[in-house]
Amino acid sequence: MYEGAVQDLIDELGRLPGVGPKSAQRIAFHLLATDNHEVKRLVDALTEVKLRVRFCELCGNVAEAERCRICLDPRRSDEVICVVEEPKDVVAIERTREFRGRYHVLGGAINPIENVGPDDLRISELLARLADGTVQEVILATDPNVEGEATATYLSRLMGHMGITVSRLASGLPVGGDLEYADEVTLGRAFEGRRVIGNDK
């Protein structure tokens, strides 16, 4: 335990996701040893992001205007929407350069333990986007965990009667991984999603 401002800083850093007590202490002492102008740059960046960044009114992605750059891009297809949990998931999918449609960010996943239900997510906004019949396919790209699966199942049931193709991202074994280290769920998904290769008959 430290005194005053140092302990306050460690406590605040420790509230950040993924930062444990030791990491918080390490970061705090790094900041103490850093030049004032570098610390000011960090403070300015934090202040600026809180002032300028908002969530896109259409898809829920991070943006510096009413709409994000993806929603404003006329080259993207309006017929396919990829549903993700968080803005960071948009970045992950964009890195693949495989998807050219639009996104919808839910703002989380259904999680009864954390008291997060369907009404706490941007589900009604998604349904409103589907109402005019433009969207032909919805890709559910929620995380492959219990909460993500529950959310995908809930959404697929909601959209089942709308005449829209609902698909789920495949999941399975990572490239470079060993079978012996794969958990049962991942291995089971790999079997479900297997595909035929080398069929040259």
Side-chain angles (χ1 to χ4, degrees), residues 133-176:
T134 303
V135 177
Q136 301 300 307
E137 181 183 5
V138 173
I139 302 169
L140 301 176
T142 52
D143 290 342
N145 54 27
V146 173
E147 296 79 17
E149 291 297 327
T151 306
T153 301
Y154 180 83
L155 290 174
S156 65
R157 287 183 183 154
L158 274 184
M159 294 181 283
H161 66 283
M162 299 178 76
I164 297 171
T165 300
V166 180
S167 59
R168 180 92 168 102
L169 281 189
S171 59
L173 299 170
V175 174

Side-chain angles (χ1 to χ4, degrees), residues 44-141:
D44 290 345
L46 289 170
T47 305
E48 194 73 5
V49 79
K50 289 303 290 179
L51 287 173
R52 290 176 53 189
V53 177
R54 63 185 85 178
F55 295 101
C56 175
E57 64 178 9
L58 184 60
C59 76
N61 192 16
V62 290
E64 291 192 14
E66 299 277 314
R67 295 199 175 183
C68 70
R69 62 177 179 78
I70 294 173
C71 285
L72 291 173
D73 188 346
R75 297 167 298 178
R76 310 290 295 222
S77 170
D78 292 323
E79 295 185 356
V80 185
I81 289 180
C82 182
V83 178
V84 297
E85 293 180 21
E86 303 289 349
K88 61 185 173 55
D89 302 324
V90 172
V91 175
I93 293 171
E94 283 296 287
R95 277 199 302 257
T96 69
R97 300 173 189 258
E98 293 289 329
F99 182 66
R100 298 302 303 160
R102 306 287 183 183
Y103 290 94
H104 189 84
V105 181
L106 294 171
I110 295 171
N111 187 345
I113 295 172
E114 298 288 331
N115 291 318
V116 178
D119 293 339
D120 299 309
L121 306 176
R122 298 183 70 255
I123 293 174
S124 59
E125 291 88 341
L126 172 62
L127 297 177
R129 292 179 71 184
L130 304 178
D132 67 3
T134 303
V135 177
Q136 301 300 307
E137 181 183 5
V138 173
I139 302 169
L140 301 176

